[in-house]
Every structure is written in structure tokens, then in C-alpha cells.
């Protein structure tokens, strides 16, 4: 584990519930991780894993009355955001912590120009007159590689392509040089050639500013491309954590192994070794390990005991009763 | 040039003796955009401009392109779900363009489409069994007990238990929904399927299940398939031959392995280098395209890709490169293709 002092963000035992007439449902069930300065942490999960709920929980942007943080701490520096006042959060959002989402169009206001929207973010957090803020907006658009930035300042969101709009959203997010950028599937709606531009851009800005990045995605390829370290989520829990190269080379948790085998690029022969079944409903979670009904390594005790997230080599963490056995078997097979 | 194009896309990967199931020749589709004061269109957008292709029985042809490439429009024109502006589509020797609306409806049982989200187009209040059996009724293929039996057979064919017949759509997961979409497409006993981004909305673990299922169906029923996707790794896995589309045109065509190992067109190379790769060891030459797709209302002169192409010269602006052979069964529309064969 790292020294707690260089962690920009430390999440401890986060529990987020969806409130519903039949009672609360745990969408995020005791999730812990941390991100250091200059680091990109990939938060990898399929639908129902709780990855987006974690992102929203961090900034306390959960829909009021429909979900709530039921436990845990979100330490930004020394401050626990779970306890912070609404006023304090308003000041942090967009300034010290920024967030970008998949659908850039909904993040932009259709009736204001690109320049006005970025300038607005700047003026909320910094003392600038309108003209100075607009000038700064132009500089930031240059920084995010917007071609013809001076003209773009006066354009409306609908006049831009998907890739350009995502650049504007990133520009607005970066306007106040945040210490932490939370990205929730920011490239999922984009074409691969544009996605590559945006991923390069985020990495480039990180190199220059040292910001920490939490990158939420369902895409293993994107994790491989951007993340230094990755946390794999399944059914609201962390099931594995490792530095990205180790995770991809030697996944320890059978779920992560199954995801890797599902990748068409690793197909052996003419069929993929798919994971059977589908993600469980949070209302009717399987007993024991939530993954056991789909796991080809499962034994009888996997349906009885909820495995702990245990420390493995090199700061890795794995949630599986059998991970040591499986690792030995994999190694033996590798040598044979 | 048409003659050349047609020769180029004749897939001799397949034994010469077998006849193409679907043969598309110089297909075009334009749309009027931005109507003016008196309803006169201000401009036309050519979404598909002169595409020829063939699909053989039991063959999966991958069609790769980014948004705005025209791949979805092309897929629908091939089935005449969207009326092409020009060109011909022959299905097992029958000229689809010559069919009347009524004949076309009857013909639909031979050729079907699988959508990204089958639930965009179906009635949520119908039971799964009736959704799957709709085609059986429309084409008067089965009634009563026989219909029920055939529905169960179709459900089993896509890996769903018989009990699903009595369920409603909202109780299904994304993967199960797509299985229902596939069962619906198979109901009429088609010889040809257009699969339009069939796994794009699915989680990775479920995507693998559906890809396996589509391969099983091809093997079992020997259907030909046009598999449309933006995902290069998915297409490489499933397709026998791959067509790369950019701004309404096919820019490269090759057997799947040849395309991925020896991409000749700069656009294909850029696409491959942009796709995030999970594996290690492959030294990656990064080609980063600048900017976005040009507007199809006002496409570039000469080569459609030249405005974003690192290799472009003045020749590319003046002369449109035809699709020509650069290797065995490998064709590229580029004045300066990478030679590697």
C-alpha cells in the first residue's frame, strides 16, 4: 500500500444504496481504493457493477431521494466528502474535482456558446471579468487541441461534432486545473479514431498538470491504454486490483480471467470462451461469492462463504477463495 | 470503372464453383438534406456512393466503418429496407429492385436483419413466443401446435429455454433480448442475415456468448451474413472477409487475416492503430488521424480520405483512386497502398 499522504483520493468502505419501496438495495458494497497524484486508476466493470454509482457518489451527485451513501469515507486530502456540506461540495466541484461523462451533449447547454460555457465555469471559481474569462476559455480550447479555437468560442454545441463536443467538455472540466478528474466512459460514444485522440489528450494534460484521473469504463482495451492501475468491480464489490500490466498478463480472479477470454483478440480457435449467464440482480444476490454461479473454478464452499479481498503479491488484491490454487494450476499448465 | 470494381470484389476466397448468394452492384443512396423555403432540398448527401459486394452462402462478410461511413444505410439498402437511389441487388439470382412491394414482403422470409437493440422495434406488450412467431404468422409458415413447436425450436436454437415463450420482454437481460432478436430473424428460415452492430450494446462477457451463437447459426444453417460493426476486433474474430467503408465508399477489402496483418489503405491502418489493444508484444506504430469525418454533403474531391490522410498528395485531390487488386483477394482504393504481399 502506498503512503497515505500522497493519495489525492482515498475511498474507504464506500457503500451506496438505491432506495426503493421494497427497501434499500446495495449498489456499491464496501468499495475501497486510492489514487495518487499523476496516476490514472481504471475502474473496470460491466453493467450492474456499480462503477458509475461510485463516480457519482464521489461528488455526491446521486439522485436525491433515490439513492444515498450508507457508509464509508471519501477522503479528498484530509477532508471526508461524505461529511462535507453542500456549500463546500459546490466549491469543490468543477474546481478541485471535475467530472466528464459519456454523453457530452447533455453536459452542454444548447443556448450558450462554447466560450460562454467555459468562461462560466472559470467565473464560478476564480475572479475574472467576462472578457478575461473568455480569453482564458480560448487558451484552454487551444490546450485541448481544438482546431480554429477562436472561431469555436462563438459556436453553439450543436454546431460541433461528437469529438469536438467532448473536447469542449474536457476544456470546461480542466478550466480550473482540478487535482482530480473523474471520467465516466468519456469515449464510449465516440469512434475509435476520435477516441484515440481524446485518450491521448487526457494523458497529455495529466503529464503536464499532474492531476489524478479516475477512469470509469467497461472496456478492457481502454484500461490497457490509459490506466496505470486498475480495479475490477463485480456486483458492487472490488474483486481484483493490480497494476495494469500485471492484471492483463496474469489476472488472478476467475471473473477477470473470464473477461480476458471473452476478448475476440484472444480467441483460441473458432469460439470464444464466454462467461456463461449474466450479471446478478442486486435484489437477489447469490449467496457466498457473487460470481460463483458463473465461475468455472467454483467449488462447494464458494456458495457458502463471501471471500475477503485479500492481499496478493506486489500490492495486488484478489477476492476469491481459490485464487492461490488457481494461480498454481495456471502456472503449472503454463510450464507444461 | 464499374467493371473493375465488380471484378475486384468478387470473392475468390470462396471456391469459384459456388454462386454468390447476394450480389450488390454499384449501389447508391442519397438523401435530400436541409429543405429550403419551398421544400426544395438545399443539398444532397450521398450516404452510399457506388458500392459493390458479394456474400456467398455460409460466408460472413464484415463491414467496418465509423459513424457517418454509410455502413448502416448500406446494410438496409441491401435488404431494400431503405430504397436505394441506384444500383442493383441480386438475391440468389432474383433482382430485388424489380419486386413489387407485395412480392418484396413475401420475399423477406429469405433475408432478415438483426438490430443492435431489437427492442427498439418491437411491442413490449407481446409475449416472447408471439414476438418470435410473428414471422411464422405473416408468412403463413405454421399455425396452432406446429407454430408452438417451431417457436420452441427457434428459442432453443438461440439458447433460450421453452419457458421463455410465455415471458414478457422487460423481464429479460440484454443478452437474452438479443437472443430473442436473433430468433425473430431466424423464424422465416432465412438464407441471408444483415447483423447491424448486434453486440455493441452488450457487456463483454455476454458479447462473447452472442458471437459464438452467430457462428453456430452460420455453421448449422449455412446462412450468409453481412456483419456490420465499428469494432475491429469483433469483426476480425467473426468475419471471413472484411470490407472497410469510409464516407460512402469501400476503401479496402480483404480476407480477415490479410486485412489485419497487411492493411494496405492508410485509413485501415489508422483504424487498426487507434483501436485499444489489450495484448502485449505487438509493437504499435501509432497513426493518429487529425480532425473528424468530412461532411458527406460536401465530400472531398478525388480520394475521400485525403483530407485526413498522412500520405496525401495533390494527385489524391485530383484523381479518385479505384479499388484495385494489391494482393491475393486483397483490394484497396489508394494511389499509394502499402505493399506487403
Amino acid at each position: 500500500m502506498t503512503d497515505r499522504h500522497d493519495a489525492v483520493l482515498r475511498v474507504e468502505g464506500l457503500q451506496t444504496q438505491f432506495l426503493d419501496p421494497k427497501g434499500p438495495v446495495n449498489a456499491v458494497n464496501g468499495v475501497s481504493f486510492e489514487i495518487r497524484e499523476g496516476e490514472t486508476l481504471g475502474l473496470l466493470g460491466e453493467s450492474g457493477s456499480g462503477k458509475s454509482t461510485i463516480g457519482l457518489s464521489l461528488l455526491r451527485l446521486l439522485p436525491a431521494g433515490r439513492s444515498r451513501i450508507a457508509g464509508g469515507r471519501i477522503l479528498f486530502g484530509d477532508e471526508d466528502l461524505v461529511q462535507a456540506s453542500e456549500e463546500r461540495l459546490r466549491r469543490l466541484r468543477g474546481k478541485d474535482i471535475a467530472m466528464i461523462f459519456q454523453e457530452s451533449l447533455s453536459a452542454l447547454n444548447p443556448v450558450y456558446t462554447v466560450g460562454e460555457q467555459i468562461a462560466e465555469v472559470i467565473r464560478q471559481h476564480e475572479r475574472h471579468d467576462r472578457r478575461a474569462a473568455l480569453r482564458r476559455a480560448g487558451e484552454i480550447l487551444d490546450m485541448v487541441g481544438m482546431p480554429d479555437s477562436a472561431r469555436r468560442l462563438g459556436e453553439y454545441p450543436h454546431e460541433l461534432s461528437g469529438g469536438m463536443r467532448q473536447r469542449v467538455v474536457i476544456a470546461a472540466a480542466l478550466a480550473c486545473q482540478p487535482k482530480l478528474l473523474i471520467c465516466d466512459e468519456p469515449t464510449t460514444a465516440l469512434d475509435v479514431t476520435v477516441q484515440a485522440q481524446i485518450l491521448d489528450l487526457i494523458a497529455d494534460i495529466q503529464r503536464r498538470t499532474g492531476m489524478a484521473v479516475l477512469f470509469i469504463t467497461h472496456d478492457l482495451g481502454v484500461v490497457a491504454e490509459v490506466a496505470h492501475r486498475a480495479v475490477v468491480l463485480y456486483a458492487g464489490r472490488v474483486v481484483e486490483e493490480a497494476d495494469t500490466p500485471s492484471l492483463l498478463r496474469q489476472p488472478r480472479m476467475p471473473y477477470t480471467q473470464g473477461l480476458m477470454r471473452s476478448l475476440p483478440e484472444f480467441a483460441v480457435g473458432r469460439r470464444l470462451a464466454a462467461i456463461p449467464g449474466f450479471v446478478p440482480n442486486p435484489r437477489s444476490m447469490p449467496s457466498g461469492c457473487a460470481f460463483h454461479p458463473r465461475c468455472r473454478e467454483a467449488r462447494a464452499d464458494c456458495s457458502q462463504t463471501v471471500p475477503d479481498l485479500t492481499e496478493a503479491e506486489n500490492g495486488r488484491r484478489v477476492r476469491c477463495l481459490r485464487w492461490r490454487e488457481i494461480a498454481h494450476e495456471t502456472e503449472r499448465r503454463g510450464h507444461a | 470503372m464499374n467493371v473493375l470494381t465488380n471484378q475486384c470484389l468478387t470473392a475468390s476466397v470462396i471456391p469459384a464453383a459456388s454462386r454468390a448468394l447476394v450480389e450488390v452492384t454499384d449501389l447508391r443512396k442519397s438523401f435530400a438534406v436541409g429543405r429550403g423555403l419551398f421544400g426544395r432540398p438545399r443539398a444532397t448527401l450521398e450516404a452510399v456512393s457506388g458500392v459493390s459486394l458479394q456474400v456467398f452462402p455460409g460466408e460472413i462478410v464484415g463491414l467496418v466503418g465509423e459513424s457517418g461511413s454509410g455502413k448502416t444505410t448500406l446494410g438496409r439498402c441491401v435488404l431494400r429496407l431503405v430504397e436505394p437511389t441506384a444500383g442493383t441487388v441480386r438475391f440468389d439470382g432474383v433482382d430485388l429492385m424489380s419486386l413489387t412491394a407485395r412480392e418484396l414482403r413475401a420475399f423477406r422470409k429469405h433475408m432478415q436483419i438483426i438490430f443492435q437493440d431489437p427492442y427498439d422495434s418491437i411491442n413490449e406488450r407481446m409475449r416472447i413466443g408471439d414476438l418470435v412467431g410473428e414471422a411464422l404468422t405473416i408468412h403463413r409458415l405454421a399455425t396452432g401446435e406446429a407454430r408452438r413447436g417451431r417457436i420452441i425450436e427457434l428459442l432453443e436454437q438461440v439458447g433460450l429455454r421453452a419457458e421463455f415463450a410465455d415471458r414478457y420482454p422487460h423481464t429479460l437481460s440484454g443478452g437474452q433480448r438479443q437472443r430473442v432478436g436473433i430468433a425473430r430473424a431466424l423464424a422465416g428460415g432465412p438464407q441471408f442475415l444483415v447483423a447491424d452492430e448486434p453486440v455493441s450494446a452488450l457487456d463483454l462477457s455476454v458479447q462473447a456468448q452472442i458471437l459464438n451463437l452467430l457462428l453456430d447459426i452460420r455453421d448449422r444453417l449455412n446462412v450468409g451474413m453481412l456483419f456490420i460493426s465499428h469494432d475491429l476486433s469483433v469483426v476480425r474474430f467473426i468475419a471471413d472477409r472484411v470490407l472497410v467503408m469510409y464516407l460512402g465508399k469501400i476503401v479496402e477489402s480483404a480476407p480477415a487475416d490479410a486485412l489485419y496483418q497487411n492493411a494496405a489503405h492508410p485509413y485501415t491502418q489508422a483504424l487498426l492503430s487507434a483501436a485499444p489493444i489489450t495484448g502485449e508484444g505487438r509493437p504499435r506504430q501509432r497513426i493518429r488521424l487529425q480532425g473528424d469525418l468530412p461532411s458527406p454533403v460536401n465530400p472531398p474531391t478525388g480520394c475521400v480520405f485525403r483530407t485526413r490522410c498522412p500520405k496525401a498528395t495533390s494527385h489524391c485531390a485530383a484523381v479518385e483512386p479505384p479499388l484495385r487488386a494489391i494482393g491475393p483477394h486483397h483490394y484497396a482504393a489508394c494511389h499509394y497502398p502499402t505493399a506487403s504481399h
Side-chain angles (χ1 to χ4, degrees):
Chain A
M1 280 267 118
T2 47
D3 180 2
R4 60 165 295 175
H5 292 293
D6 49 359
V8 173
L9 179 80
R10 227 147 75 93
V11 176
E12 295 177 350
L14 178 69
Q15 190 159 21
T16 303
Q17 298 179 326
F18 293 147
L19 306 171
D20 126 342
K22 287 182 228 156
V25 181
N26 287 328
V28 178
N29 204 349
V31 164
S32 304
F33 59 84
E34 59 179 50
I35 316 174
R36 282 163 271 166
E37 192 181 317
E39 184 185 44
T40 299
L41 179 73
L43 204 54
L44 180 75
E46 298 187 284
S47 54
S49 64
K51 59 186 191 300
S52 293
T53 307
I54 292 173
L56 294 173
S57 300
L58 297 183
L59 278 175
R60 300 234 320 254
L61 290 171
L62 296 162
R66 279 192 284 142
S67 46
R68 65 149 190 246
I69 296 177
R73 301 203 294 169
I74 298 168
L75 294 167
F76 182 64
D78 288 328
E79 188 176 4
D80 183 1
L81 300 186
V82 175
Q83 307 298 335
S85 69
E86 197 46 49
E87 167 60 26
R88 173 67 185 141
L89 285 168
R90 254 198 307 278
R91 266 183 290 139
L92 281 172
R93 288 183 202 130
K95 173 143 177 58
D96 295 304
I97 308 176
M99 186 155 181
I100 53 180
F101 298 92
Q102 177 177 340
E103 200 16 90
S104 54
L105 195 56
S106 53
L108 296 170
N109 191 327
V111 300
Y112 291 101
T113 64
V114 164
E116 284 164 347
Q117 304 200 38
I118 301 172
E120 173 66 17
V121 178
I122 298 170
R123 291 191 67 199
Q124 266 175 19
H125 297 291
E126 289 170 20
R127 267 167 202 268
H128 274 302
D129 62 29
R130 223 181 88 83
R131 294 222 349 238
L134 264 178
R135 210 175 321 117
R136 176 92 186 103
E139 289 165 20
I140 296 166
L141 277 187
D142 279 335
M143 186 173 86
V144 300
M146 180 73 96
D148 214 355
S149 64
R151 184 163 62 88
R152 298 292 178 203
L153 279 177
E155 289 187 342
Y156 291 89
H158 73 268
E159 295 177 88
L160 305 175
S161 69
M164 297 262 204
R165 280 201 295 265
Q166 201 54 286
R167 276 174 201 268
V168 171
V169 170
I170 292 171
L174 297 175
C176 297
Q177 300 185 341
K179 294 192 187 75
L180 172 66
L181 178 67
I182 302 170
C183 304
D184 188 1
E185 305 264 15
T187 58
T188 304
L190 304 176
D191 283 323
V192 282
T193 57
V194 181
Q195 165 172 288
Q197 293 169 8
I198 299 291
L199 296 182
D200 284 354
L201 171 66
I202 294 172
D204 178 50
I205 290 167
Q206 182 182 49
R207 271 192 296 276
R208 280 189 275 161
T209 65
M211 69 182 176
V213 177
L214 178 66
F215 207 104
I216 300 170
T217 180
H218 71 284
D219 190 331
L220 264 170
V222 169
V223 165
E225 196 98 337
V226 302
H228 302 110
R229 217 150 40 84
V231 165
V232 183
L233 296 166
Y234 187 78
R237 286 201 166 99
V238 174
V239 295
E240 181 157 12
E241 176 182 342
D243 62 283
T244 309
S246 305
L247 184 82
L248 300 175
R249 207 178 315 119
Q250 283 184 319
R252 294 287 189 213
M253 164 74 190
Y255 172 60
T256 322
Q257 294 171 347
L259 283 183
M260 296 289 288
R261 281 193 297 263
S262 301
L263 284 174
E265 60 183 283
F266 294 139
V268 181
R270 281 307 277 143
R271 291 295 185 275
L272 292 165
I275 305 176
F278 47 92
V279 175
N281 180 338
R283 194 166 291 293
S284 52
M285 275 297 171
S287 61
C289 170
F291 185 60
H292 88 263
R294 306 177 71 193
C295 182
R296 66 180 190 182
E297 310 284 358
R299 298 289 182 271
D301 51 342
C302 296
S303 63
Q304 313 290 323
T305 316
V306 178
D308 290 327
L309 191 59
T310 44
E311 302 276 331
E313 76 285 2
N314 304 326
R316 298 184 65 161
R317 300 193 291 165
V318 192
R319 190 188 293 280
C320 175
L321 293 175
R322 301 193 60 235
W323 79 266
R324 273 176 219 280
E325 275 172 79
I326 295 167
H328 283 150
E329 273 169 42
T330 317
E331 217 161 281
R332 239 198 5 251
R333 254 180 274 137
H335 288 304
Chain B
M1 212 207 95
N2 282 342
V3 178
L4 179 66
T5 310
N6 294 342
Q7 282 171 348
C8 285
L9 286 177
T10 303
S12 20
V13 185
I14 306 296
S18 87
R19 186 173 74 152
L21 175 67
V22 176
E23 178 145 23
V24 174
T25 310
D26 200 22
L27 194 81
R28 288 172 190 275
K29 174 64 188 177
S30 26
F31 295 100
V33 288
R35 289 190 183 277
L37 188 56
F38 298 105
R40 263 188 301 245
R42 290 216 183 97
T44 55
L45 175 162
E46 198 166 51
V48 178
S49 43
V51 167
S52 302
L53 64 89
Q54 295 183 316
V55 181
F56 286 77
E59 186 191 26
I60 300 181
V61 174
L63 180 61
V64 179
E66 298 186 282
S67 51
S69 62
K71 59 187 190 301
T72 291
T73 308
L74 173 59
R76 297 198 180 178
C77 284
V78 169
L79 297 178
R80 247 187 100 186
L81 289 170
V82 166
E83 213 52 62
T85 315
T88 60
V89 179
R90 296 185 83 80
F91 184 95
D92 208 10
V94 177
D95 178 3
L96 281 192
M97 299 309 150
S98 71
L99 299 182
T100 64
R102 196 194 170 127
E103 288 167 334
L104 185 64
R105 248 193 319 278
F107 206 79
R108 293 241 170 264
K109 60 176 178 285
H110 302 302
M111 44 179 211
Q112 275 295 327
I113 187 161
I114 300 168
F115 296 101
Q116 178 172 340
D117 182 357
Y119 282 58
D120 281 350
S121 56
I122 63 158
N123 187 342
E124 288 274 343
R125 278 182 287 189
M126 280 168 76
R127 286 176 208 268
I128 301 300
D130 290 326
L131 287 168
V132 170
E134 213 171 15
L136 301 177
T137 312
I138 291 170
H139 298 297
R140 298 198 186 99
L141 295 171
T143 54
E145 270 310 296
R147 181 171 179 274
R148 176 84 190 168
R150 174 77 178 129
I151 288 169
I152 287 164
E153 185 189 357
L154 284 162
L155 287 174
E156 281 167 356
Q157 208 156 55
V158 298
L160 294 175
R161 291 185 306 275
E163 69 200 52
F164 276 89
D166 298 318
R167 291 222 217 153
Y168 287 93
H170 69 267
T171 62
L172 268 54
S173 73
Q176 290 169 336
R177 288 172 174 222
Q178 193 52 288
R179 288 177 194 270
V180 171
I182 295 168
R184 265 166 72 82
L186 294 179
Q191 295 159 266
F192 176 59
L193 293 171
V194 170
D196 190 0
E197 301 270 14
V199 296
S200 304
L202 303 176
D203 279 325
L204 181 60
S205 63
V206 178
Q207 167 180 303
Q209 298 169 8
I210 299 295
L211 292 175
N212 285 344
L213 173 63
L214 289 173
L215 285 168
D216 290 345
I217 286 167
R218 187 271 301 270
D219 291 354
R220 211 177 317 133
L221 307 175
N222 202 39
V223 292
M225 206 181 298
L226 184 64
F227 186 98
I228 302 173
S229 178
H230 71 286
D231 188 326
L232 293 126
S233 65
V234 165
V235 168
R236 176 181 197 171
F237 169 71
I238 202 166
D240 303 303
R241 201 153 45 87
V242 179
L243 310 174
V244 181
M245 200 166 176
Y246 186 84
L247 218 60
K249 291 179 195 291
I250 303 291
V251 296
E252 187 159 6
S253 156
D257 287 337
L259 187 91
Y260 288 83
Q261 281 154 22
N262 297 310
H265 196 286
Y267 176 62
T268 312
Q269 292 167 351
L271 264 186
L272 286 170
S273 96
I277 301 287
T278 323
E280 297 171 279
R282 171 128 74 99
R284 282 234 277 152
Q285 193 203 349
R286 281 181 180 244
I287 306 163
R288 288 294 189 247
L289 292 183
Q290 296 305 306
D292 298 302
L293 200 72
S295 163
V297 177
N298 189 14
T301 59
C303 172
V304 283
F305 183 56
R306 67 169 173 86
T307 53
R308 300 172 78 196
C309 181
K311 284 182 171 177
T313 66
S314 57
H315 183 51
C316 302
V319 181
E320 184 186 341
L323 201 53
R324 59 174 170 233
I326 55 142
H329 322 306
H330 192 161
Y331 307 88
C334 177
H335 292 304
Y336 312 104
T338 306
S340 52
H341 286 288

